[in-house]
């Protein structure tokens, strides 16, 4: 584990993005959740593996968080992506109907809630586009993850291994194992994704792309 913030695609230098769509409402919510947790900007940034300047830009709406970064911040503050997005229904509906509104897009990834908010597990339906920078993010955090490929082909890097998943394939793993996912085909990949929200001093640690290494064995 690296002791300080790592630089990944969300940290890359470049022009700041103006807030757009419903993600613009995330900025004040991020600031409120950090203050509610009693964390300084520097302390929260360190837990999330970000620089204070980057977190400040997210809190002021000058940058939009990607899906993996939303998951990271949710774990850092002990909440859910739904709460970060301001989705706080008075009574959680256990049923999510097909075609229900609520699609969100972050850095090219599109995702839909596939379960109730405020639970110990969070279920999402995700479209992973082909060739976007998110595939270079290596994530390490407490908890477990389960995913099921609905369509397309998914490349899963798990520890030292690389796995190519086809429709109908699934994976269930400890999230402390370094992992990253990317669409393997030009049409992208659709999957069901379930993860637990566990807090610890390691919560939400994001590492930059791993250094080049000999190609790992592929498994089917």
């Amino acid at each position: 584990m690296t002791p300080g913030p790592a630089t990944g695609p969300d940290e890359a230098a470049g022009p700041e993005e103006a807030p757009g769509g419903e993600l613009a409402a995330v900025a004040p919510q991020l600031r409120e959740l950090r203050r509610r947790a009693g964390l300084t900007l520097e302390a929260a940034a360190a837990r999330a593996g970000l620089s204070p300047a980057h977190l400040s830009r997210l809190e002021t709406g000058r940058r939009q968080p990607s899906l993996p970064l939303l998951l990271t911040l949710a774990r850092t503050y002990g909440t859910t992506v739904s709460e970060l997005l301001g989705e706080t229904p008075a009574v959680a509906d256990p049923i999510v109907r097909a075609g229900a509104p609520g699609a969100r897009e972050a850095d090219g990834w599109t995702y839909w809630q596939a379960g109730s908010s405020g639970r110990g597990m969070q279920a999402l339906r995700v479209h992973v586009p082909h060739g976007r920078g998110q595939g270079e993010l290596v994530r390490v955090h407490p908890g477990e993850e389960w995913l099921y490929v609905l369509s397309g082909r998914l490349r899963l890097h798990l520890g030292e291994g690389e796995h190519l998943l086809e429709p109908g394939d699934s994976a269930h793993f400890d999230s402390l194992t370094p992992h990253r996912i990317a669409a393997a085909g030009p049409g992208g990949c659709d999957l069901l994704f379930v993860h637990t929200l566990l807090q610890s001093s390691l919560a939400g640690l994001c590492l930059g792309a791993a250094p080049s290494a000999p190609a790992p064995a592929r498994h089917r």
Side-chain angles (χ1 to χ4, degrees):
M1 308 284 176
T2 52
T7 300
D10 284 313
E11 289 274 19
E16 293 180 346
E17 301 172 6
E22 299 183 29
L23 280 176
V26 174
Q29 189 75 348
L30 289 176
R31 186 167 53 250
E32 173 60 28
L33 287 170
R34 175 176 61 78
R35 291 173 175 172
R36 192 189 306 172
L39 296 172
T40 65
L41 186 71
E42 291 75 14
R47 289 191 182 189
L50 302 171
S51 68
H54 188 199
L55 182 56
S56 177
R57 288 193 291 270
L58 292 171
E59 289 189 356
T60 54
R62 288 179 290 163
R63 290 294 297 269
Q64 292 185 15
S66 64
L67 172 57
L69 188 49
L70 284 173
L71 294 172
T72 293
L73 292 168
R75 292 186 181 98
T76 298
Y77 299 137
T79 184
T80 65
V81 170
S82 294
E83 186 174 1
L84 285 181
L85 295 171
E87 299 173 352
T88 53
V91 178
D93 188 345
I95 306 301
V96 179
R97 300 291 183 186
R104 299 288 188 273
E105 184 171 329
D107 198 28
W109 291 36
T110 307
Y111 62 102
W112 300 259
Q113 286 294 130
S116 301
S117 61
R119 303 289 189 182
M121 295 189 301
Q122 191 165 16
L124 301 169
R125 181 164 58 89
V126 183
H127 175 74
V128 182
H130 183 253
R132 297 299 292 263
Q134 291 298 329
E136 298 304 316
L137 265 183
V138 178
R139 296 194 292 142
V140 179
H141 51 83
E144 296 182 31
E145 294 187 28
W146 176 88
L147 58 86
Y148 177 91
V149 179
L150 296 168
S151 64
R153 304 167 77 200
L154 184 75
R155 197 174 304 282
L156 170 65
H157 295 262
L158 191 59
E160 297 298 321
E162 179 181 313
H163 309 266
L164 187 61
L165 278 65
E166 305 279 355
D169 291 344
S170 61
H172 185 185
F173 52 90
D174 189 322
S175 302
L176 284 173
T177 304
H179 56 281
R180 60 188 172 98
I181 63 175
C189 180
D190 291 283
L191 58 114
L192 293 176
F193 174 67
V194 178
H195 66 95
T196 57
L197 295 170
L198 302 180
Q199 271 193 298
S200 79
S201 59
L202 297 176
L205 175 62
C206 277
L207 305 178
S212 298
R218 298 186 180 185
H219 306 278
R220 280 286 300 131

